Amino acid sequence: MVRQVGIDGGTGSPGIVTLIAAILLPPLGIFLDRGITPAFWLGVVLTIIGWLPGVLFAVLLLLIPERIPIR
């Protein structure tokens, strides 16, 4: 049986690379964690509005995903 391991090592929590990407370029951090989903597009819109709203959304989405149900 082949086990696939994600960027975060498969632990279910975001890896350091994903968190750094979420801070520097929020849509990239969301993409690395969830792929192209509505959350990704919302992150793009928030980042276009301003860098800080995009970063806040991305970091919260990565750290407490069960509280933000956008998949």
Side-chain angles (χ1 to χ4, degrees):
M1 178 183 285
V2 176
R3 183 176 152 227
Q4 294 181 347
V5 177
I7 291 174
D8 63 359
T11 61
S13 62
I16 190 73
V17 173
T18 308
L19 283 174
I20 291 172
I23 293 170
L24 297 177
L25 187 62
L28 178 60
I30 297 170
F31 172 76
L32 291 174
D33 190 57
R34 297 189 180 201
I36 303 277
T37 60
F40 169 79
W41 293 112
L42 182 57
V44 168
V45 169
L46 287 172
T47 304
I48 289 172
I49 291 172
W51 175 77
L52 188 59
V55 169
L56 290 175
F57 176 71
V59 170
L60 288 175
L61 191 68
L62 294 174
L63 294 180
I64 51 172
E66 66 279 351
R67 304 274 295 190
I68 303 173
I70 300 172
R71 293 281 170 200

